[in-house]
């Protein structure tokens, strides 16, 4: 049978939490009081029915089993003396440690049931009350503060002398230890014997001889005294093993209650420790057993005692055994709800409820500071209850550790914070609470005595700031609330009206009471409903500092990391204090995380090889110079702090990078990698997440070096940023250098002034990051990181390739007299080609077709530079298109075609697709032009060359997109027009030079005519190429003249002649464009007569080549003169009618007139270019009118 109602299974082991089981709601004495109890832990054995003693049993005689361990008593043994057992001063801390989840959140009070009962009996009792009160979050811890025991200790050890003096000065000047009466020990002894009789299984107690009476009472008394003394820890003791069970081992902080109960009394939630013996039997599953002297009636205090004990333990019935002078008389059963109505023991449960609520409100309103020890004191026989802040009083002495509560409170604050941190699903709104707990914990600790907790607390403080989420804090998560370090600041204490709560005011108290924080002037006030209200509103979440940016957040993190490192370093012996180590003897590594996938030993070897390759890392030297022992708490904590500082520096570097402060970014990433240097030297076997982070650092470092290379103009500013260093950074570096001075990644963070060096470092950073991902098998777990690193490797190899390519081009332009390609150029080509090739492989490995295409395009460009370098340097008359040029141009074409195949179709990336097409078209065009202009006649036949030129030009046209509207469209149109012009010129030339094959001549004639007409059409679309248009038209005229020369009939010649004149007429648009530009130019010059230098930019801005215009104009005038003369001759000599009698005469007359004007104009050498253009336009206009009039005849 279980000891508590509502609990049907065996009680859980300590630390386990039972499923909440609702206790009964009791209706007592007509006043409803809600009470429920849930057992959180019990060490008691299964309940046995109590043995009902026979009448006349003499309790003065001890039973045979007295004070012996019994199976039925379980581990409790002699502690079955129950509620008479001395309460330990730190009992609430033991419970709080075991049920850390409840502290700070759900529970209002943690205490021994004896202390709860003592508080609730204050208005009824004249006895003294002395309790220590501590606040942790919203929870109050209550412990008995036995002044007599304390001062006895003070007399022996000298501790607490300040409190003893204070107590004697203010409260009891003639303090002396009060000895307990003989009656007290007598009552305690017979109760103990009664309980042992009652648990005796066979029911027949075996008395022992009465001669042992002296022996019986002695140990009880002695045990009590000894227990009291032993329970007080020395104020200077440090927990032996904080990480395992802080403070529990040697400070009397164990939870040694028989059971821990979560008791809800009305709206007050309490975690209570109880040792009350509970038996089975009767009508209920559990009863409590009490012994009463029949001659003494039950008083109110005893009634309240019995009632509260049963409520706390959810025991529904009380069994009372009455005795007279130790002789058993009778038993009586009383229901718990009937206890308040017993004769001589009437009390109101409602009043008890009011007392509980008032005391809790009073304490919560005034015990406001976490980490402070408050003392609730009521002198014996007094009605006044006072509350003192012992921490403030203690601060007046030299050493805060004179307060033995300091360490347990600090550890509890730390434990509660740890527990909240471990809950991964905690909302960020709890971070303020955790921070407050830790800051208050740190206030209580001394670095020399508690370095481990200080280092750990600072690390946890740094962990509160989310470095990997540099987003704007949400106001709902972080209420803006100043920068208060305390969760319950004294500024918020209000002084209520003296009418409402006069007891708060101490204005009427004697002057020597001014040390009290608050006073209850009369215990009677506690019975008044809602007399005390908690005026101190507890915030839903404590103040969390609002960081206004990433840098501020990281700086806060680094400040906590530095404090942790300082504390940790101070606990490690200085290097000089250590025995000299044998350099040949490896130090065994005890601390290894085996969480890495695959073989950790293999990974360790790979990492060692990698570090050895990276820099000045000595194999096998995973050891600390400061003397830290691998596996020690210092070692583990330092690794964590180093990693945290590295992350903070990484985030700072990333933020500086975004702001384009590249010098600052390099400084921060240098610090981050210096942290990694030390980490690598201390820890051989790195965790996967550390390796991934190292990859991120190296990748960012590569990015920074690349940006520095691309922004060389601001180098001076970057150098200044790079060299600046804060005191905090210097101190962190000093802590790192205590462990190691190895510089594995020093090469990555040099601020070089050489562009090639910077690009090379950037590339090496990416390569190192990639190598880590490879040998640690992390690329599959981190595909995004893997892709990013490969992309950057491809990009930097492209940058280096372009750098070498540009250098090669520069060397080529500087080469003047030397005919041969220099070795330097060839070396640069090889380097460039190698970089492009590797970059292409990088992009292809991650299926990045677009970037692969761009690198293939750049490789094509490199091949064209190689081709240009191989062109012979002889004079243009002797020069021929060389085989080397052809080879490299064809290679370039191959790479461009590969780029197009890589993309597949234009939709993948239109801009890149168009760019590759344009480059390919340019390559074909360049190759064809060079073959045409510098024909390799010494190696190939003319027909073969013409065929190759024609094919190349047609391919160039194929990749020259004239139809798509884009910024490049005019360029494409110009290119296409030029190609048609060149092809037409070539066929024209073939026709002139060819003899024989009439079919081929006819074919060439058709092709020349076709390409001329296409060239004209395209040049007409362009508004900025009048000269090119004019040249094509003049060539067409020459082509017509050539055809006319081979014609015999006058009619055929006349037709060709009129066709040529028609071509000339159509050049009017080109001359109008030239005139427009000349007018604009002359206007600009007239405006800027005073500054002659403005003429040059104006010339260039119009894009008009005056020399070329003059040349073309002269040819035009000459050809026009010739055609007009020929037309006049033919029209005069022939008798043929041209569309009618009058039309022939009109044309002849006009041609004569135009010819006459043209001759005069060309004879006048003083005419300006603009005037000559005007004459031509005028003449063309006249011809146009005649042409329109006689159009039928001419055709």
């Amino acid at each position: 049978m279980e000891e508590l109602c509502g609990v049907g299974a065996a009680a859980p082991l300590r630390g386990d939490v039972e499923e909440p089981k609702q206790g009964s709601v009791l209706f007592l004495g007509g006043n409803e009081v809600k009470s429920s109890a849930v057992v959180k832990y019990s060490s008691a054995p299964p309940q046995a029915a109590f043995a009902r003693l026979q009448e006349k049993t003499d309790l003065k005689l001890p039973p045979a089993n007295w004070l012996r361990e019994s199976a039925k008593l379980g581990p409790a043994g002699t502690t079955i003396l129950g509620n008479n057992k001395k309460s330990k001063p730190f009992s609430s801390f033991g419970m709080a440690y075991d049920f850390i989840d409840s502290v700070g959140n759900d529970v209002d009070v943690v205490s021994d049931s004896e202390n709860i009962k003592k508080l609730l009996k204050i208005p009824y009792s004249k006895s003294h009350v002395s309790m220590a009160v501590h606040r942790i979050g919203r929870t109050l811890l209550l412990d008995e503060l036995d002044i007599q025991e304390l001062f006895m200790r003070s007399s022996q050890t000298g501790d607490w002398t300040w409190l003893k003096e204070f107590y004697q000065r203010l409260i009891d000047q003639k303090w002396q230890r009060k000895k307990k009466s003989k009656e007290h020990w007598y009552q305690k002894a017979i109760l103990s014997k009664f309980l042992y009789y009652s648990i005796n299984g066979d029911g027949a107690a075996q008395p022992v001889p009465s001669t042992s009476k002296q022996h019986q009472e002695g140990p009880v008394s002695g045990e009590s005294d000894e227990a009291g003394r032993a329970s007080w820890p020395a104020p200077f003791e440090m927990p032996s093993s904080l990480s395992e069970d802080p403070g529990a081992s040697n400070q009397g902080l164990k939870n040694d209650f028989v059971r821990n109960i979560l008791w809800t009394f009305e709206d007050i939630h309490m975690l209570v420790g109880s040792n009350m013996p509970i038996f089975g039997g009767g009508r209920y599953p559990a009863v409590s057993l009490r012994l009463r002297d029949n001659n003494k009636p039950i008083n109110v205090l005893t009634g309240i005692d019995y009632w509260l004990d049963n409520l706390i333990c959810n025991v529904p019935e009380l069994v009372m055994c009455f005795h007279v002078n130790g002789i058993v008389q009778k038993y009586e059963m009383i229901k718990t709800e009937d206890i308040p109505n017993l004769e001589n023991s009437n009390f109101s449960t409602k009043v008890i409820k009011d007392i509980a609520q008032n005391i809790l409100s009073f304490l919560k309103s005034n015990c406001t500071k976490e980490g402070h020890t408050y003392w609730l004191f009521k002198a014996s026989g007094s009605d006044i209850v006072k509350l003192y802040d012992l921490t403030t009083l203690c601060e007046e002495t030299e050493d805060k550790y004179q307060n033995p509560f300091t360490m347990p409170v600090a550890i509890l604050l730390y434990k509660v914070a740890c527990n909240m941190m471990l809950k991964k699903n905690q909302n960020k709104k709890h971070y303020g609470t955790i921070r407050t707990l830790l800051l208050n914990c740190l206030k209580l600790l001394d670095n020399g005595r508690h370095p481990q907790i200080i280092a750990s607390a600072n690390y946890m403080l740094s962990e509160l700031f989310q470095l990997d989420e540099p987003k704007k804090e949400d106001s709902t998560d972080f209420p803006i609330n100043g920068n208060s370090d305390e969760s319950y600041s004294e500024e918020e204490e209000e002084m209520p009206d003296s009418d409402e709560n006069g007891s708060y005011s101490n204005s009427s108290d004697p002057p020597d009471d001014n040390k009290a924080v608050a006073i209850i002037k009369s215990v009677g006030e506690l019975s008044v409903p809602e007399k005390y209200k908690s005026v101190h509103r507890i915030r839903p979440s404590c103040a969390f500092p609002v960081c206004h940016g990433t840098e501020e957040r990281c700086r806060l993190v680094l400040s906590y990391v530095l404090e942790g490192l300082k504390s940790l370093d101070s606990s490690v012996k200085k290097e000089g204090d250590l025995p000299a180590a044998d350099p040949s003897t490896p130090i065994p590594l005890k601390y290894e995380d085996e969480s890495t996938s695959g073989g950790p030993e293999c990974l360790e070897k790979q990492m060692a090889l990698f570090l050895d390759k990276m820099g000045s890392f000595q194999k096998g030297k995973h050891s600390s110079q400061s003397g830290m022992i691998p596996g020690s708490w210092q070692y583990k904590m330092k690794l964590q702090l180093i990693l945290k500082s590295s992350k903070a520096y990484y985030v700072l570097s990333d933020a500086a990078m975004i702001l384009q402060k590249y010098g600052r970014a390099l400084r921060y990433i240098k610090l981050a990698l210096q942290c990694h240097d030390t980490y690598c030297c201390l820890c051989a076997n790195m965790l996967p997440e550390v390796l991934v982070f190292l990859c991120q650092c190296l990748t960012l470092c590569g990015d920074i070096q690349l940006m520095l290379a691309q922004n060389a103009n601001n180098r001076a500013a970057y150098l200044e940023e790079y060299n600046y260093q804060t005191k905090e950074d210097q101190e962190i570096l000093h802590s790192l250098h205590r462990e190691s001075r190895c510089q594995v990644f020093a090469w990555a963070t040099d601020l070089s002034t050489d562009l090639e060096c910077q690009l090379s470092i950037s590339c090496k950073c990416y390569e190192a990051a990639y190598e880590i991902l490879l040998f640690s098998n992390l690329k599959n777990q981190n595909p995004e990181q893997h892709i990013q690193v490969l992309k950057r490797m491809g990009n930097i190899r492209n940058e280096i390739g372009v750098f070498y390519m540009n250098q090669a081009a520069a060397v080529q332009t500087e080469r003047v007299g030397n005919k041969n390609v220099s070795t330097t150029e060839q070396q640069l080509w090889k380097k460039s080609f190698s970089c492009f090739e590797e970059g292409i492989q990088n992009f292809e490995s991650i299926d990045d077709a677009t970037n692969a295409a761009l690198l293939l395009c750049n490789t094509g460009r490199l091949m064209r530079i190689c081709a240009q370098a191989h062109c012979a340097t002889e004079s243009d008359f002797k020069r021929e298109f060389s085989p080397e040029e052809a080879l490299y141009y064809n290679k370039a074409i191959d790479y461009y075609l590969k780029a197009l195949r890589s993309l597949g179709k234009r939709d993948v990336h239109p801009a890149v697709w168009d760019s590759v097409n344009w480059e390919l078209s340019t390559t074909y065009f360049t190759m064809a032009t060079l073959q045409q202009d510098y024909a390799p006649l010494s190696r190939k036949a003319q027909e073969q060359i013409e065929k190759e030129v024609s094919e190349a030009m047609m391919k160039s046209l194929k990749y020259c997109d004239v139809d798509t509207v884009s910024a490049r469209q005019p360029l494409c149109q110009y290119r296409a027009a030029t190609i048609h012009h060149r092809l037409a010129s070539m066929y024209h030339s073939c026709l002139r030079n060819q003899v024989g094959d009439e079919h081929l001549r006819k074919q060439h004639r058709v092709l020349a005519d076709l390409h001329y007409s296409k060239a004209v059409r395209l040049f007409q679309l362009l508004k900025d190429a009048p000269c090119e248009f004019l040249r094509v038209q003049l060539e067409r005229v020459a082509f017509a003249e050539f055809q006319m020369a081979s014609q015999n009939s006058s009619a055929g010649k006349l037709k060709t002649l009129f066709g040529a004149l028609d071509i000339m007429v159509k050049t009017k648009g080109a001359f109008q464009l030239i005139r427009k530009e000349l007018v604009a130019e002359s206007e600009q010059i007239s405006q800027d007569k005073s500054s002659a230098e403005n003429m040059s930019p104006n010339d260039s801005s119009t894009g008009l080549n005056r020399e070329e215009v003059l040349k073309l104009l002269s040819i035009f005038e000459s050809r026009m003169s010739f055609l007009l003369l020929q037309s006049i001759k033919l029209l005069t000599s022939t008798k043929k009618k041209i569309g009618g009698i009058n039309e022939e005469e009109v044309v002849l007359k006009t041609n004569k007139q135009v010819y006459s004007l043209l001759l005069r104009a060309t004879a006048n050498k003083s005419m300006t270019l603009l005037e000559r253009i005007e004459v031509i336009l005028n003449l063309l206009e006249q011809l146009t009118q005649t042409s329109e009039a006689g159009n039928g005849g001419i055709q």
Side-chain angles (χ1 to χ4, degrees), residues 61 269 345 434 527 672 790 912 945 1140:
L61 296 175
H269 303 286
S345 174
I434 296 169
S527 306
L790 278 169
V912 175
I945 293 167

Side-chain angles (χ1 to χ4, degrees), residues 125-143:
S125 169
K126 292 289 182 186
S127 61
H128 88 288
V129 174
S130 174
M131 286 187 198
V133 185
H134 297 91
R135 181 193 272 285
I136 306 289
R138 59 163 281 182
T139 305
L140 297 175
L141 275 66
L142 306 179
D143 292 283

Side-chain angles (χ1 to χ4, degrees), residues 819-1017:
K819 296 178 183 180
N820 300 321
V821 176
S822 67
T823 315
T824 310
E825 275 179 270
Q826 290 179 333
Q827 289 298 321
L828 289 168
W829 293 342
K830 283 177 185 175
K831 284 181 182 178
S832 180
F833 181 74
S834 173
C835 288
F836 287 140
E837 204 169 38
E838 287 172 350
I840 291 161
Q841 286 170 3
N842 293 147
F843 286 125
E844 284 177 346
S845 68
I846 53 171
D847 299 324
D848 189 343
T850 308
N851 281 317
L854 283 169
L855 262 77
L856 285 161
C857 200
N858 277 341
T859 314
R861 188 176 146 219
L862 175 67
M863 294 300 115
R864 281 160 64 191
I865 286 173
C866 295
Q868 287 163 20
H870 279 92
C871 70
T873 53
E874 296 110 343
S875 63
D876 285 350
F877 296 110
K878 294 179 182 178
R879 193 192 149 187
E880 283 190 1
F881 183 65
S882 68
E884 290 83 7
E885 285 178 271
L887 173 73
Y888 282 113
Y889 277 121
N890 281 313
K891 278 187 177 181
I893 287 163
D894 287 342
Y895 282 111
Y896 289 130
L897 290 170
K898 274 184 190 174
L900 288 179
R901 283 198 296 274
S902 173
L903 288 168
K905 52 186 178 180
R906 187 173 187 269
D907 299 347
V908 173
H909 201 295
V912 175
W913 176 269
D914 292 346
S915 177
V916 175
N917 268 296
W918 173 253
E919 294 295 335
L920 184 54
S921 172
T922 304
T923 308
Y924 276 124
F925 176 72
T926 307
M927 191 164 72
T929 305
L930 288 169
Q931 272 187 298
Q932 193 176 8
D933 294 349
Y934 308 104
L937 292 167
S938 62
R939 290 181 290 113
K940 292 179 182 177
Q942 179 73 34
E943 292 81 4
Q944 177 67 21
I945 293 167
E946 285 167 6
K947 185 184 173 188
E948 286 178 9
V949 169
S950 176
E951 284 174 358
M953 287 290 191
M954 293 312 290
K955 282 178 181 173
S956 181
L957 271 176
K958 177 185 171 184
Y959 295 106
C960 187
D961 183 5
V962 293
D963 301 320
T964 305
V965 178
S966 66
R968 199 182 268 125
Q969 191 184 23
L971 274 176
C972 291
Q973 289 171 339
Y974 185 86
R975 162 76 50 78
T978 308
I979 290 169
H980 285 300
H981 176 202
R982 275 187 163 270
L983 284 171
S985 297
M986 185 179 78
Y987 291 127
H988 184 179
S989 175
C990 291
L991 202 60
R992 279 177 182 276
N993 302 327
Q994 207 169 30
V995 182
D997 193 345
E998 192 58 39
H999 173 71
L1000 198 60
R1001 284 175 64 78
K1002 187 180 178 184
Q1003 194 179 2
H1004 284 164
R1005 189 182 296 115
V1006 171
L1007 284 169
D1009 195 45
L1010 173 72
H1011 286 297
Y1012 274 134
S1013 60
K1014 284 185 176 180
V1016 167
R1017 193 178 73 248

